[in-house]
Amino acid sequence: MKVLMLNGSVRKNGNTKTALLEIAKVLKEYGIESEIFEISEPVRDCIGCKGCTDAGCRFEDNGVNEFIKKAKEADGFVFGTPVYYAHPSGRILSFLDRAFYSGGKAFGFKPAAAVACARRGGTTASFDVMNKYFGISNMITVGSSYWNIIHGAAPGEAEKDAEGIQTMHNIANNMAWILNCIDTAKKNNIPYPTLETGNRTNFIR
């Protein structure tokens, strides 16, 4: 089993990366592989051109299609973001808009956790924004013993947030449990849910 992680911070070795590494460390104890995917910069916005291909986005920059390719093989996900103005980073939102819009089938029925890192405020608002990608994609949202947040400003400060580190460890514990439950279901030929499709009530504003 493998968990694909996305680092939405411009600081490749900042506090968001610290949070992801703590999750990866615990997953390894369960024998679960992980990979941290770094977003290249700058990141183009999704323009709703509807030019998506089987490979993903028609614009092959920023690593979006590479991420989608990896997502198809991944069993679970962790998306990490720093907090900018009480909101996720613009780069991760642009990246996820394109990845989910053009490659949404790669994410369905897989567990995902969002992680937000801030100096002080805005973590829960950012966490809420990130979770919305999961809710529209038939994903399983992974929580923890507290909201999935960690605090730190200068690189290295997140390591001092004992409760934040504990929260990251429990994300990993919960992720591992859910992945093993899914694996058990597969081994016992329990199918994925059947979904109703086709209805779009467009007149509701």
Side-chain angles (χ1 to χ4, degrees):
M1 289 182 282
K2 182 173 181 177
V3 173
L4 181 60
M5 303 184 181
L6 185 66
N7 183 8
S9 174
V10 68
R11 293 176 176 159
K12 298 290 192 288
N13 294 299
N15 291 308
T16 303
K17 181 75 165 283
T18 295
L20 298 179
L21 288 172
E22 287 295 328
I23 295 171
K25 180 172 66 177
V26 175
L27 288 174
K28 186 176 180 180
E29 295 174 3
Y30 287 95
I32 298 172
E33 184 184 354
S34 61
E35 175 186 353
I36 298 177
F37 190 97
E38 304 284 354
I39 299 177
S40 61
E41 53 181 315
V43 179
R44 180 196 300 268
D45 288 337
C46 177
I47 59 173
C49 66
K50 301 188 185 300
C52 308
T53 70
D54 290 339
C57 183
R58 70 182 298 177
F59 300 105
E60 298 183 4
D61 54 356
N62 314 125
V64 170
N65 290 351
E66 181 186 355
F67 183 81
I68 292 171
K69 183 178 179 181
K70 290 176 180 289
K72 291 176 180 177
E73 304 299 323
D75 300 291
F77 303 92
V78 179
F79 302 100
T81 183
V83 174
Y84 298 159
Y85 290 94
H87 208 255
S89 71
R91 67 173 46 216
I92 197 168
L93 292 183
S94 293
F95 192 95
L96 292 181
D97 281 352
R98 289 171 59 199
F100 274 81
Y101 191 78
S102 65
K105 291 181 180 178
F107 302 99
F109 303 109
K110 295 178 181 179
V115 172
C117 176
R119 180 192 70 83
R120 190 170 177 86
T123 49
T124 53
S126 298
F127 176 58
D128 178 59
V129 170
M130 298 285 284
N131 282 334
K132 287 182 169 63
Y133 289 95
F134 314 152
I136 199 173
S137 304
N138 296 304
M139 300 181 80
I140 302 164
T141 303
V142 180
S144 186
S145 47
Y146 193 73
W147 291 291
N148 297 2
I149 62 177
I150 194 166
H151 288 86
E157 287 184 351
E159 297 173 9
K160 302 174 184 179
D161 180 5
E163 186 174 8
I165 295 294
Q166 175 181 273
T167 300
M168 298 305 112
H169 292 173
N170 286 333
I171 291 170
N173 290 329
N174 291 338
M175 176 71 76
W177 182 77
I178 292 170
L179 287 173
N180 280 301
C181 287
I182 293 172
D183 186 57
T184 299
K186 289 179 180 178
K187 290 176 179 176
N188 286 276
N189 297 314
I190 299 173
Y192 287 117
T194 300
L195 301 176
E196 293 186 11
T197 61
N199 291 322
R200 293 175 66 89
T201 313
N202 294 322
F203 63 83
I204 295 178
R205 296 291 187 264

